[in-house]
Amino acid sequence: MAARATFLASASRVRMGGLPSERTGNANLASVIANLQIKLDTPVITAAQLAKLTDAAHYIAEIANMTAPNNQPYVGVSAFAHKGGLHVAAMMKRDDSYQHIDPALVGNEKRVLVSELSGQRNITAKLAEQGIDIALSPVEARAILETVKAQEA
């Protein structure tokens, strides 16, 4: 990984990349930091600083008057979004079944979406995510899901 070699060679200048319209081969520094720190176990910043990575990336995008890509690795709004029924059902049992890291490590969070690909667990997970404490029977959850799917069509 070129970014790791650059870091290990003690690069003195870096810039936060990864914003739309970047076509010059600049590395997305948010992804580089997260990969070095989490995946390659190479200390770059403190854990407290890493936990602010998402906020920092969004702040930089705002300063640059640009929209941060929703699908940006680690720090995008949709980086840890799940809408498939099977994925959500598995994640309700074990978060790491479809997430490569804990989103909180980089200051992000898991999101559950409800769509045409959803299952009943998406409904119950979305209610819990919104702080709504209602115990739905499988029949009630299925009815809500069918209504959502009909409105999506």
Side-chain angles (χ1 to χ4, degrees):
M1 174 182 202
R4 182 170 193 241
T6 302
F7 173 76
L8 293 175
S10 301
S12 60
R13 280 195 231 173
V14 295
R15 65 183 284 289
M16 189 72 146
L19 297 175
S21 80
E22 293 241 5
R23 304 202 186 268
T24 59
N26 294 324
N28 174 351
L29 192 55
S31 294
V32 170
I33 290 169
N35 279 326
L36 286 170
Q37 188 99 0
I38 299 167
K39 300 293 187 172
L40 299 175
D41 199 27
T42 304
V44 179
I45 57 178
T46 67
Q49 290 170 324
L50 185 64
K52 295 179 182 177
L53 190 61
T54 297
D55 287 342
H58 289 257
Y59 178 72
I60 290 166
E62 186 172 328
I63 296 273
N65 198 28
M66 301 181 91
T67 303
N70 287 341
N71 64 346
Q72 188 174 7
Y74 295 103
V75 298
V77 173
S78 298
F80 298 96
H82 306 278
K83 67 180 180 177
L86 182 63
H87 291 198
V88 173
M91 289 186 55
M92 287 182 73
K93 294 177 183 171
R94 189 173 162 165
D95 272 344
D96 66 349
S97 57
Y98 282 95
Q99 291 185 156
H100 62 110
I101 66 162
D102 176 1
L105 290 173
V106 292
N108 209 335
E109 57 188 26
K110 172 179 71 175
R111 289 190 321 136
V112 173
L113 309 176
V114 178
S115 75
E116 73 284 359
L117 300 175
S118 297
Q120 296 176 33
R121 296 276 177 96
N122 293 62
I123 299 297
T124 56
K126 193 65 170 176
L127 288 171
E129 181 182 287
Q130 298 296 317
I132 301 170
D133 187 23
I134 298 175
L136 294 177
S137 71
V139 172
E140 293 169 321
R142 170 64 56 198
I144 294 170
L145 183 60
E146 292 307 319
T147 300
V148 169
K149 286 183 177 185
Q151 291 177 354
E152 287 279 319

